[in-house]
Amino acid sequence: MSKRRVRVRFAPSPTGPLHIGGVRTALFNYLFAKKHGGDFLLRIEDTDQARYVPGAEDYIQEALEWCGIKVDEGPKQDGQFAPYRQSERKDLYRQYAEQLLESGHAYYAFDTPEELDQARTDAEAKGETFTYNALSRCVMKNSLSISEDDCKTLLASSIHHVIRFKMPDNLDVTEVDLIRGSVTFNTSTLDDKVLFKSDGMPTYHLANVVDDHLMEISHVIRGEEWLPSMPLHVLLYRAFGWEDTMPRFTHLPLILKPVGQGKLSKRDGDKMGFPVFPLLWKDPETGDTSRGYREDGFFPDAFINMLALLGWNPGTEQEIFSMKELCEAFSLERVGKSGARFDPEKTNWFNHQYFIKKPDEELGELLLPFLKEKGITAELSMAARVCGMVKERCNFVSEIWDQSYFLFEAPTTYDEKIVAKRWKDDVPAIMGEIAEFFGTVEQWNAPEIKEPFSVLVTAKGWNFGTVMNSLRLCLVGGSFGPDIFEICDLIGQEETVSRIRKAIEKI
RNA sequence: GGUCUGUUCAUCUAAGGGUUAGGAUUCAAGAUUUUCAUUCUUGCCAUAGGGGUUCGAAUCCCCUACAGACUACCA
């Protein structure tokens, strides 16, 4: 059984956009599969028609694709276990529910939602919690509490009914979780879960177990919120007689809010200004949009790198990993047990690391649309050169413009603080002399300008700090940016002189 | 309320009986860059609390506290 081919699945329900916790679950599944040369499947768990959101499934597919998580089998990829959408497997589940009915592991229940609500409020009034279990099922309306004939009559009538799992009484169920170790639950604290709903659809629990079995899933890797349903699932495998091929279970820790308590939610992102979704999402109902990492200018490999290290560590001090390296290094044993607080700052840092390593041409390509937005058309070679000059100062392509606009157009304003600090009475005259000097330079490139310039400043006895900073003010409009002579080089001789004259006039 | 899970610097985490408890992010300071950023150096900063076991505990056990998840004909 340990020789089984590794097959894992990511099984989201299409009720909205995939958030980063979901992406991480998908990622860990994918990394585990690839580490062991196995398969990664995508299965859409759309058994709840009421919560179905149009576009959510496409969003999930697109998000995984953007992240570089390749699906081996799924709705779009197909595979020998198709279909991979539970709504399309609907007809399959009934027979499995019936198998359980026959073997005495399940029963029909005819209680209406109103009756159940009543039972719950009654219990609450007494300070108790209602649970449908061995103690209470004899007083509810089901095939165990009523006569066989009555049951047949009810089934024959079109009255709504569900199929519930008959939870054994007072049985310890122990199962190993690959990152937590052995976990024990006593069935007397569990309830008779609905397996088959009155609308003819299976619940998550039934569909999940049936599909994992049929699709020969070897490992179930999912969020910690599923840990409490592990005993139910184990019992279902036993009831079906599938225990020898039951998958191993692993429950991943949650991703927590950056500050405060609780798990990360969409609100945290809105409040603190970072995305919680991989891609931009537009709610089809309300029209509200939520930011995405892709649209915010993050690179998918940086995003994935950050996510991988949230709750997992390689045991070495390496922090930057390509997807390929992650596939090789990953192991479930090195996933932490405790929830990880999400850190937007570190996410930016990861992006910066990838950003500065990108070739200038690639960044230039990405810069072009931003330039166009500013009404500037530039050659790719120019954009690439600019990116090379300022990328150390940026985390995102969107920040390049702020760091480099002066390489495309003359500054229109001058930073007042710098003016007050540097633009003393004698400065205009000095700048005038420098403009004149620049006009005489024959070979216009950075080193050829710098040499004689330094000689001039020394000969005139000017203060270097004042001259350099004032000159920068003329050319840039502030006190930032790349090497001054590199700037002169790039914008050209004529423009350099013109900017100095303009500054003398305007300041 | 019940059940389960968890708890090491502000944050992500390493160390799975023996280290001055290590690294990274953030923050602060210094150096470099005659600007800014980068880079480099330094600093700040942690084993939730209490009991055991042991020559020795962040590590094993128990209790307490705190946190989280679950407790639907949702997944």
Side-chain angles (χ1 to χ4, degrees), chain A residues 175 177 180-181 183 185 222-232 249-251:
Chain A
E175 185 57 36
D177 176 295
R180 270 157 237 280
V183 183
F185 296 83
R222 71 225 306 193
E224 194 181 353
E225 67 269 27
W226 294 109
L227 189 55
S229 47
M230 183 166 73
L232 201 222
F249 291 97
T250 303
H251 295 91

Side-chain angles (χ1 to χ4, degrees), chain A residues 437-449:
Chain A
F437 158 77
F438 277 154
T440 66
V441 175
E442 282 179 17
Q443 286 285 321
W444 192 259
N445 62 55
E448 296 287 339
I449 305 164

